Structure formats: C-alpha cells, structure tokens
Amino acid sequence: MNPFFLKIKSHKEQNLPFVLYSKPNTSNFIGILQQNNTLYHVSDYSEKGFVFASFDEKQLILIPESESEIITAEKETTSFAPIEIDDLNFDAEAKFQYESLVAKGIHAIKNEEFKKVVLSRSEDVQLAEFDFIETFQHLVQLYPATFCYCFFHPEIGLWMGATPEKLLKANGNVFETMALAGTQKDNPETEIVWQQKEKDEQQYVTDFIVKRLREFAASVVVSEPYSLRAGSIWHIKTDISGVLKDNSTLEEVIDTLHPTPAICGLPKKKSKAFILENENYDRTFYTGFLGELNSSFAGNTASSDLFVNLRSMQIQENKAILYMGCGITKESIPEKEWEESVNKSMTMKRVLKK
C-alpha cells in the first residue's frame, strides 16, 4: 500500500475524522485528516473545509481546513475485475413495498398535489469482509467521471459513494451547476434514446433551477441537454452557469438549489413533505450534499465545489446500507421504477465483496 493510503488507514485506526476523495476526471486523490475527534458544524457557509450535509440540512458536518492535515497523491492504475451481479435474486417484500410507494406517488401527481417526486429506498448487503481503501480505489476505477469519496467521523460513521451530480461550484461570484435526470442502463449494442417521460423530467428540473437562480444571479447561461455516462448508467444533463449578484451569498444559493428536483421533486416543498411522510425511513446523508467549502485544497484560489450525495452507501460493522431513488412522474410505471432502482444499486454492489 502506498504511503498516502497507509497514512489514511492509520488515521482511521485512531478513530479520527477524515475524508478521502477524487473529483471527476482528475488525476489525483485528496485526503483531509482532522487532527482531533471534535464534531464541527457549518453555521453560515463562511467556514473553510469539507462539508457533509444531510438531506434535511439538520446535520451540516464540517471537517475544518484549520484543524486538518491535507495530503494528496497521484492516481495509480490498479487492476480490478468488477463483480458481476445477478440482479434477479431480489427481496419480493422490498419490491412490493417500493412499487406501492411509487403507486402512491403517481396517485398524488394525478391528483395534482405536485408534478414530480423522487422516491427512494435502502437495501442492506451483508459483508464478510470490508476494506474501505480497496473499495474506494475500485469506485474511482469504475466511475472516473464521478465524485468518489469516503467520509468518516466517529460520531457519524463511514459513508462512501460515487456521485455524478454537481450541486454547485462557486468561485467568487461565478457559479456552475447542472440539471440531471433520466436513467438508462448502458447497452453497447444500442444507441441511447430518451423517451418523452425522461425529456419532460429533465426539462422540469432545468426550468426549476434556472427560475430559482434568476433571483440571485445577474446572468444565467443554459446549455442544450446531452447524454452523460456514469459507469454503467446514462443520464440526461444540462449545464447551467452564470454570475451571482454582488449582494448574493453562498448560503442563499445553496438553500435555493438544495434539495434539487433530481432528488426531491417539484414543487420542492410539497414533494419533500410527501417524501418525509411516506418513505418510512430516514435518508440521513443520502441525497444531502458534500464537498469543498471556501477551500483551496485543489487549487490556488478558495472556492466551493459541492456534489449531491447520490449512489452512496453507509458502512456498518458487517453490512453496507445502499440507497437509491427514482424520479416519479405521472407516466411512471411502478415495476419499471423498481427495475431502475435495482440498476442503481449495482453501482455500489459491483465494488463490494460479499
């Protein structure tokens, strides 16, 4: 094991907080090793460090730059054969519950309670053995175009993921974000074709983000939608960028964007209330956000680079808790949404040893 990973492993053995991550399509790893075990929080987004926020924003955990050692390493090529999973072996009760939840969501949409809702579930995978460094390296190798991370705090636990969705990049008053929706399994033999349902879902997301940003931005630029591959899954993506007004704050912009329609729904308040009432489990940090806050770990200037915590899992003693969700519109079919959630669970299952 190289010195970079040995240092992180030793830090974890001391039960000290850290985050290890790799930004999309970059050539290096970054490790932020907190030198004490205090649980720090973000209060107004002026802090510097790495933020790890829950879906409901009640937990805004910070690994402060000032209390941490920051280490980096060049990525090495490692050989790894992903585990091919038989996804036909599933829990019939879990399928029934998720399809019932989706049907309830579709019914609420047809009753015009909201236009879209993102409904999720969790799944436990038993682990005979688990090596967080090996698993992290596998994530990076399989999903180089995503934000791959491993976050640990003794009071929060161990979380890992490979997310394709940027929440916000802000450098001074210049910002970048994205609208991401639609999911399709990669099939090398067929061209990616998006149905109207997915195109509509993507447009909802784009329109919402642009409308909300106009309150805080002096200018907004929107790209044409295009297909984005994240490992074995394709999405539709639209790039959104612009310049913030001089009196706009980072906190205002984050509160405007989170939770995005890609993880919550439209309108935000009504779909979020439906999720909290009907999902029957606590998402905690799944579909929260994480990343660099007013920091200069990856460059010369202090900037924020935040991602939505999708395709993620929580590691407990002998199991991994996987999280996956699907965007529900009035055209959704419960069984198809179940299949999509199973495809999404493969992202993490492919790097886990049973």
Side-chain angles (χ1 to χ4, degrees):
M1 194 180 289
N2 72 28
F4 174 82
F5 287 119
L6 274 173
K7 189 159 191 170
I8 289 168
K9 194 173 183 184
S10 160
H11 200 78
K12 169 82 167 61
E13 283 165 0
Q14 294 170 66
N15 214 28
L16 289 169
F18 71 88
V19 64
L20 160 64
Y21 63 98
S22 158
K23 293 170 85 166
N25 302 313
T26 55
S27 60
N28 66 324
F29 298 122
I30 299 173
I32 307 171
L33 312 181
Q34 190 176 309
Q35 300 300 296
N36 57 49
N37 61 8
T38 306
L39 187 64
Y40 295 98
H41 296 89
V42 170
S43 60
D44 63 3
Y45 293 98
S46 65
E47 297 84 357
K48 288 173 174 278
F50 190 98
V51 60
F52 194 64
S54 60
F55 170 65
D56 60 11
E57 289 184 271
K58 286 179 180 168
Q59 296 188 78
L60 296 169
I61 310 304
L62 181 76
I63 295 187
E65 192 171 328
S66 59
E67 302 293 335
S68 304
E69 181 184 357
I70 294 145
I71 59 174
T72 61
E74 286 293 308
K75 288 182 187 173
E76 297 170 354
T77 310
T78 52
S79 57
F80 161 63
I83 301 154
E84 290 312 320
I85 298 119
D86 174 12
D87 59 358
L88 301 173
N89 183 18
F90 61 83
D91 179 345
E93 179 60 26
K95 181 175 188 285
F96 173 77
Q97 284 181 356
Y98 189 66
E99 288 180 8
S100 300
L101 175 65
V102 170
K104 200 170 181 182
I106 296 166
H107 182 71
I109 292 166
K110 287 179 176 172
N111 278 352
E112 299 185 344
E113 289 175 39
F114 36 76
K115 277 187 175 179
K116 172 192 169 178
V117 65
V118 179
L119 298 173
S120 72
R121 65 184 181 91
S122 65
E123 181 180 334
D124 291 0
V125 176
Q126 298 305 310
L127 301 173
E129 54 180 297
F130 180 77
D131 181 324
F132 76 91
I133 285 171
E134 197 177 83
T135 305
F136 173 77
Q137 288 175 300
H138 293 169
L139 277 176
V140 172
Q141 190 178 331
L142 273 180
Y143 309 114
T146 68
F147 181 85
C148 296
Y149 78 92
C150 174
F151 179 97
F152 172 74
H153 194 291
E155 292 187 44
I156 299 298
L158 182 69
W159 283 74
M160 301 184 80
T163 174
E165 185 174 353
K166 185 186 290 292
L167 177 70
L168 178 70
K169 184 172 187 174
N171 194 338
N173 61 349
V174 176
F175 71 88
E176 293 170 26
T177 183
M178 64 163 75
L180 195 75
T183 302
Q184 231 179 101
K185 202 172 181 181
D186 183 39
N187 182 347
E189 288 158 31
T190 58
E191 191 186 342
I192 292 295
V193 177
W194 296 102
Q195 301 302 314
Q196 198 58 46
K197 179 235 174 195
E198 287 117 348
K199 289 178 183 175
D200 289 348
E201 192 184 333
Q202 168 66 7
Q203 198 58 52
Y204 288 157
V205 175
T206 305
D207 291 347
F208 168 85
I209 291 172
V210 171
K211 185 181 175 187
R212 296 299 295 267
L213 281 172
R214 288 200 195 281
E215 297 171 38
F216 304 101
S219 65
V220 180
V221 179
V222 184
S223 77
E224 288 296 315
Y226 60 95
S227 296
L228 168 80
R229 185 177 172 183
S232 57
I233 288 175
W234 286 87
H235 302 286
I236 313 174
K237 180 183 175 187
T238 302
D239 295 316
I240 302 165
S241 59
V243 178
L244 296 173
K245 293 174 184 171
D246 291 341
N247 59 350
S248 295
T249 66
L250 185 62
E251 184 173 15
E252 284 174 329
V253 180
I254 290 170
D255 283 346
T256 289
L257 292 175
H258 177 79
T260 71
I263 55 160
C264 185
L266 280 170
K268 183 155 77 170
K269 207 170 265 185
K270 288 182 177 177
S271 55
K272 188 176 180 182
F274 184 88
I275 288 165
L276 295 173
E277 194 178 324
N278 293 283
E279 272 190 349
N280 292 329
Y281 84 104
D282 186 354
R283 290 185 178 190
T284 65
F285 293 95
Y286 167 63
T287 62
F289 58 88
L290 72 163
E292 299 164 352
L293 186 64
N294 304 311
S295 295
S296 48
F297 312 133
N300 301 324
T301 56
S303 62
S304 297
D305 202 1
L306 306 174
F307 292 81
V308 180
N309 197 8
L310 297 172
R311 312 292 185 278
S312 56
M313 60 182 172
Q314 183 180 10
I315 306 298
Q316 293 183 345
E317 274 182 33
N318 56 353
K319 69 177 179 182
I321 305 170
L322 277 49
Y323 298 89
M324 41 272 157
C326 300
I328 311 303
T329 65
K330 64 177 186 291
E331 287 87 16
S332 291
I333 298 160
E335 192 167 8
K336 294 279 182 206
E337 301 299 343
W338 163 261
E339 287 167 12
E340 182 179 314
S341 81
V342 170
N343 287 340
K344 286 177 174 173
S345 74
M346 296 303 151
T347 308
M348 295 295 129
K349 285 181 180 174
R350 290 174 80 209
V351 299
L352 288 173
K353 283 183 182 174
K354 292 283 184 75

